[in-house]
Amino acid sequence: MGDFSSVLHLCEGDQHVIAATQHLVKALGSSKILNDDLRKILSQLDSHLSSMNIITTESRGPGFREVEEQFRCSEEKIMGWESRQSFIWDCGPLEASQYLKSVHDIQTLVEGFRSLSVNEDRKHKELVNRAESLLQIAMSKLEEELIHILVKHKQYFEPEYMSFRSWRRDVVYDESFVSVEDIAFEEESQRNFCGSESEEYILDLVDPHVIPHLKSIADIMFASNYHQEFCQAFISARRDALEEYLIILKVEKLSIEDVLKMQWDSLSSKIKNWVRAMKIIIRYLASEKRLCDQISGDFGFVSPLCFADISKVSLLPLLSFGEAIAMETHGPEKLFCLLDMYEVVADNLLYIDTLFSEEAGAWVRIEFHELHRGLADTARATFMAFGNAIAANGSTSPFPKGAIHPLTKYVMNHISTLTIYCNALNVLLKDHDTADSNPPENGHSSSSLTYGHLACRLRSITSTLEFNLDCKSKLYKDAALQHIFLMNNFHYMVEKVKGSELRLFFGDDWIRKHIVKFQQHATSYQRATWSLVLSLLRDDGSASKASLNEKCRGFCIAFEEVYKSQTGWSIPDSQLREDLQISTSQKVVQAYRNFTGRNSSSIGDKYIKYTADDLQNYILDFFDGSPRSLQNSRWKEPAWF
C-alpha cells in the first residue's frame, strides 16, 4: 500500500498519475498469461488506487459530505444486522452480497484514512474512529456467521465409507501357558501384508455449496487484518466437529498413567479400537486438510497452521495411548495387539509425512516416527521373549493321559497367527537374525517365505518347543506313555503346519522329517509296550504242556494290565488313534493267533481266556482316555477255571 500522508495535497497532475496507473493495472489484469496470485494482487492494487482517488478528491471540498453519506449507508446496513436474530447467509445470497459490499466499502475508507494525517481535521478523525469501530462490529458478526455456516453445514465422515482390509478373527489367549482351545484359523489370503491403502478417501466435511461463502468471509477478514480472529473461529468450529467424531469412534482421552494402570482385558479392547480409530482418523485428516486449503489456501502459511492446530485434538490422545503401550513390557499374548498397532503406524508413516509436510506439522511427523520406533522395539522384544517363555515353561507333573499338551496348542496356534504379520515381522527381525544355515530341501517346491527371517524364527521356536516336550515326556514313569505323549504332540505340530499358512514358512522337508519323528515314537511305543508281553508267546517247540499253559495264562494277565492302563491314555486325533490300533492289532493278535493255533492240542481250553477276535475288539478300546478293566468291559469275562 502507498503512503497517504500527503494524499490530500496531491495536485491535479497527481490524480492523472493515479488514473493512468489504474488504467495500466486493468490492462495487465486482462492478460491471459497471469496466474491467480498475480491477478489477486492487481485487483487489490486497483481497489487501493480507487480508495486513494476517492479520498483525495472528496476530502478537498463539499464532496466530503458524499463520503459521509456513503459511510452512513454502509453503517446502517451493518448495524441493521446487529438487532436481528437471524443469520445473514441464511437469508439468501443477495443479503450476504450486500453485507459484504458494505463491509468492503468501510474497509476501503478505513484503509485510506489510516494513511492520512487527520490529527488536524476533526471530521476526518471522527469518521475514522466510527469506521474502525464499525469494522470491528462487522468482523465479530462475520466470525459468528463463519461458525454458524461450519456447524450448520458440516457433514460427517462415516466409518463405513472406509473399505479397509478385512480383519482377522479375534483370538484370545490366556496370559500363561495353560489350557487353550484348539482354534481353526481362517485363511487370510485377502490381507495385504504391507503398504498403506492405495485408494484415497477424501470426502466433503462441509456441504460444498457453502465453500464460496466461507471463502468470501475469509477474504474480507484477512483483508481487514482480522486473520487471527478468523483462524481462531475456524479452528474452534472444526475442532468441535472433530471432537464429536472422536466420540463416535469411542476415542478416549487417557493419560499415560491411566493406560499403564489398566487391566489387560480392558486394555485389549481399547487397543483394537485404537487401531481402527487411527486408520480412520488419518484418512479423515486428509479431508480436513483439503477443507483448510479450500478456505485459507490463498493465504500462504495460514492453511497448514490451521490444519496442524485442528489435528491436535485427534492425534494427541492417539499418540499418547500408543506411547504408553510402547513403553510397557508385554507378555507373548499381547504380541498380536502390538503388531496391529505397529502395522497401522508403519503403513501410514509416509502418508503422515506427506499430509504434514509443512513446517507447521513437523511435530506430527516427529511424534509419529518416535511412536513407530517405540512400537517396533516393543513388538520385537515381545516376539523374542516368546521363545524364552517356551524354554522356561516347566512342569513338575506329567500331563494327564499323554495327550496334546496345552503348551503345544498355544505355541502352534500362536505362530500360525503370526504368519499374517509376515512382512511386518520380517522387517522387525531383519537386523536380529542370520540366514537359515539349514534351508529346506527341494527348494523348488518351497515358497520364498521359507527362507525369510520370520520362517527361521518360527522353526527355531518349534525346536525350542520340541526340546521342552522332550523334557516333559520324561516326567512319565512308563516309557510307552512317553512315546505316546511325544507322538501326539509331534503329530499335532505336523497337522498344524500342513493345514495352515505355516506350510509356506516351514517347507515340505520339515513336514517329512517330523512325520518320521512321530512315526518313530509310534514304533517305539509298540516296542516298549508289547516286546515283553509278546515274548511270553515265544515257543521253541520244546516247551511242556504245563509251560505252554502258563505262557498263555501269563500273556492274558499281561494283556489285561496293558488294557487297564492304556484305555486311559489318550490319542485325540481319531485317524492317528485308528492307525495305531490297527498296527498294534496286527502285531499282537497275529502273534496270539499263531501261538494258540500252533499249540491248540497242548493248551487246555480253560487257559484260552480270550479268542483272537476278542483281543482285536479289546484293542479298539485303547487310547480312548477312559480307563477300564476287562471285568467291567462290554464283553463277558471268561472264567479261569
Side-chain angles (χ1 to χ4, degrees):
M1 297 179 64
D3 183 6
F4 282 86
S5 59
S6 59
V7 171
L8 289 174
H9 306 291
L10 288 175
C11 63
E12 186 175 346
D14 294 327
Q15 293 179 5
H16 289 315
V17 171
I18 294 174
T21 305
Q22 280 185 287
H23 180 75
L24 179 61
V25 167
K26 290 180 179 178
L28 289 172
S30 63
S31 174
K32 296 182 179 180
I33 64 173
L34 295 179
N35 59 34
D36 291 340
D37 289 339
L38 288 175
R39 289 182 189 279
K40 184 174 182 179
I41 292 171
L42 290 173
S43 175
Q44 291 173 344
L45 179 58
D46 182 53
S47 176
H48 186 59
L49 291 169
S50 297
S51 68
M52 288 175 62
N53 198 34
I54 291 171
I55 293 171
T56 57
T57 300
E58 302 295 349
S59 62
R60 291 185 184 181
F64 183 73
R65 287 190 295 273
E66 295 181 17
V67 175
E68 289 183 301
E69 182 62 27
Q70 181 184 356
F71 174 83
R72 278 193 292 271
C73 289
S74 297
E75 183 181 40
E76 182 180 341
K77 185 69 177 178
I78 291 171
M79 295 306 297
W81 279 100
E82 292 301 301
S83 59
R84 298 173 64 174
Q85 299 296 319
S86 57
F87 288 92
I88 300 171
W89 268 264
D90 286 352
C91 295
L94 180 60
E95 288 288 350
S97 177
Q98 290 177 350
Y99 188 88
L100 288 176
K101 182 181 183 305
S102 297
V103 175
H104 177 73
D105 290 343
I106 297 297
Q107 183 188 67
T108 301
L109 291 174
V110 168
E111 282 184 0
F113 279 121
R114 278 176 180 167
S115 301
L116 295 174
S117 176
V118 296
N119 293 331
E120 299 177 359
D121 193 318
R122 183 179 59 81
K123 287 186 176 182
H124 286 175
K125 188 173 182 179
E126 180 183 336
L127 190 61
V128 168
N129 290 337
R130 286 173 60 192
E132 288 182 339
S133 176
L134 188 61
L135 191 60
Q136 189 172 5
I137 291 171
M139 293 301 109
S140 295
K141 179 63 176 176
L142 289 175
E143 276 188 60
E144 294 176 6
E145 292 287 329
L146 171 68
I147 294 173
H148 173 69
I149 293 172
L150 286 171
V151 172
K152 180 180 179 181
H153 297 283
K154 67 183 175 184
Q155 298 182 159
Y156 285 104
F157 189 90
E158 298 294 342
E160 50 264 34
Y161 291 163
M162 310 296 288
S163 59
F164 291 125
R165 60 191 180 219
S166 58
W167 290 97
R168 68 192 65 79
R169 202 174 68 180
D170 291 338
V171 180
V172 179
Y173 290 98
D174 201 293
E175 295 193 15
S176 59
F177 294 122
V178 296
S179 181
V180 182
E181 291 297 324
D182 188 14
I183 302 168
F185 292 92
E186 296 176 352
E187 290 287 334
E188 295 288 342
S189 58
Q190 295 182 349
R191 178 179 169 83
N192 180 9
F193 284 120
C194 63
S196 59
E197 302 298 326
S198 58
E199 187 176 351
E200 295 293 341
Y201 291 88
I202 298 180
L203 305 176
D204 294 314
L205 298 183
V206 297
D207 194 322
H209 88 271
V210 302
I211 296 296
H213 307 333
L214 296 170
K215 192 166 172 47
S216 64
I217 293 174
D219 288 341
I220 200 144
M221 290 187 72
F222 272 78
S224 302
N225 202 31
Y226 277 77
H227 56 275
Q228 281 191 322
E229 289 79 0
F230 173 87
C231 291
Q232 288 173 357
F234 180 75
I235 290 170
S236 175
R238 291 311 306 158
R239 275 189 158 193
D240 288 345
L242 187 49
E243 288 269 17
E244 292 178 14
Y245 192 59
L246 291 177
I247 294 173
I248 294 174
L249 295 179
K250 301 179 181 178
V251 174
E252 301 178 56
K253 294 183 178 180
L254 301 170
S255 68
I256 291 177
E257 292 74 16
D258 292 335
V259 177
L260 294 177
K261 292 176 183 177
M262 203 170 292
Q263 295 296 317
W264 171 240
D265 287 346
S266 176
L267 189 59
S268 174
S269 174
K270 293 189 184 303
I271 288 175
K272 291 173 184 175
N273 188 65
W274 182 92
V275 171
R276 177 176 178 272
M278 182 65 86
K279 282 175 169 281
I280 295 174
I281 285 297
I282 290 174
R283 292 303 183 270
Y284 174 99
L285 291 178
S287 298
E288 193 71 61
K289 181 178 176 67
R290 185 181 72 163
L291 178 61
C292 290
D293 289 341
Q294 286 175 322
I295 306 304
S296 57
D298 293 337
F299 307 111
F301 62 90
V302 173
S303 179
L305 280 174
C306 289
F307 173 59
D309 211 353
I310 293 168
S311 301
K312 284 182 182 178
V313 74
S314 63
L315 293 181
L316 286 180
L318 292 171
L319 289 167
S320 177
F321 183 89
E323 181 185 348
I325 297 298
M327 67 191 299
E328 191 179 9
T329 302
H330 301 284
E333 75 287 342
K334 301 179 184 179
L335 179 58
F336 303 128
C337 287
L338 282 171
L339 289 171
D340 281 335
M341 294 180 71
Y342 169 79
E343 278 194 337
V344 75
V345 174
D347 286 354
N348 288 284
L349 208 55
L350 292 178
Y351 192 86
I352 286 291
D353 287 345
T354 302
L355 203 58
F356 294 91
S357 59
E358 297 89 350
E359 183 62 29
W363 68 272
V364 180
R365 301 195 305 272
I366 293 170
E367 289 293 327
F368 260 85
H369 280 270
E370 285 294 326
L371 179 59
H372 177 252
R373 282 190 289 270
L375 288 172
D377 291 342
T378 304
R380 186 187 300 111
T382 304
F383 179 85
M384 298 298 187
F386 180 50
N388 297 333
I390 298 170
N393 180 256
S395 301
T396 57
S397 57
F399 188 68
K401 304 178 183 180
I404 302 165
H405 199 280
L407 177 63
T408 306
K409 291 183 176 182
Y410 186 102
V411 171
M412 297 308 296
N413 285 328
H414 194 89
I415 66 175
S416 179
T417 307
L418 286 177
T419 61
I420 63 176
Y421 298 95
C422 168
N423 282 22
L425 283 168
N426 274 330
V427 171
L428 292 174
L429 298 172
K430 183 178 180 181
D431 298 329
H432 291 261
D433 288 334
T434 57
D436 191 351
S437 57
N438 295 300
E441 297 175 4
N442 292 342
H444 62 276
S445 63
S446 300
S447 164
S448 60
L449 295 174
T450 313
Y451 301 96
H453 297 283
L454 177 59
C456 295
R457 275 287 169 177
L458 295 184
R459 291 194 292 270
S460 176
I461 286 171
T462 55
S463 294
T464 302
L465 173 61
E466 290 174 38
F467 179 80
N468 187 292
L469 291 172
D470 189 64
C471 293
K472 284 176 167 52
S473 72
K474 292 178 172 55
L475 296 172
Y476 296 102
K477 295 180 180 179
D478 193 322
L481 188 51
Q482 292 180 14
H483 293 295
I484 290 292
F485 173 76
L486 291 173
M487 179 194 69
N488 275 329
N489 284 271
F490 285 175
H491 178 268
Y492 179 87
M493 292 168 66
V494 168
E495 290 301 305
K496 198 70 182 179
V497 170
K498 286 170 59 179
S500 70
E501 294 293 317
L502 286 172
R503 184 168 201 146
L504 300 175
F505 295 82
F506 281 71
D508 292 339
D509 184 60
W510 186 96
I511 294 173
R512 285 192 296 269
K513 287 179 179 178
H514 284 72
I515 288 175
V516 171
K517 281 189 177 183
F518 79 71
Q519 288 176 342
Q520 286 174 338
H521 284 296
T523 302
S524 297
Y525 149 77
Q526 291 181 333
R527 187 180 300 114
T529 298
W530 299 107
S531 293
L532 183 59
V533 176
L534 293 180
S535 68
L536 296 173
L537 300 180
R538 290 198 187 100
D539 176 20
D540 58 6
S542 61
S544 63
K545 184 175 182 179
S547 175
L548 292 173
N549 287 336
E550 188 59 32
K551 280 178 177 288
C552 189
R553 183 175 182 276
F555 169 82
C556 291
I557 293 174
F559 182 86
E560 289 172 356
E561 288 299 319
V562 171
Y563 180 91
K564 183 178 180 180
S565 62
Q566 296 193 13
T567 51
W569 296 359
S570 176
I571 299 180
D573 185 86
S574 59
Q575 187 60 54
L576 182 62
R577 181 171 63 249
E578 183 180 338
D579 289 345
L580 191 56
Q581 287 170 343
I582 292 172
S583 177
T584 299
S585 179
Q586 289 174 345
K587 292 179 181 296
V588 176
V589 174
Q590 188 60 40
Y592 183 71
R593 181 179 283 114
N594 290 342
F595 177 79
T596 55
R598 190 169 55 250
N599 300 293
S600 59
S601 59
S602 302
I603 302 174
D605 290 342
K606 64 181 180 180
Y607 292 100
I608 307 294
K609 189 173 184 180
Y610 307 113
T611 66
D613 289 342
D614 290 336
L615 295 183
Q616 189 165 323
N617 288 328
Y618 288 144
I619 289 173
L620 295 178
D621 291 337
F622 283 22
F623 319 122
D624 193 41
S626 302
R628 62 178 88 176
S629 64
L630 285 173
Q631 286 76 14
N632 297 322
S633 70
R634 60 181 178 270
W635 288 282
K636 183 178 179 181
E637 174 68 14
W640 281 108
F641 302 101

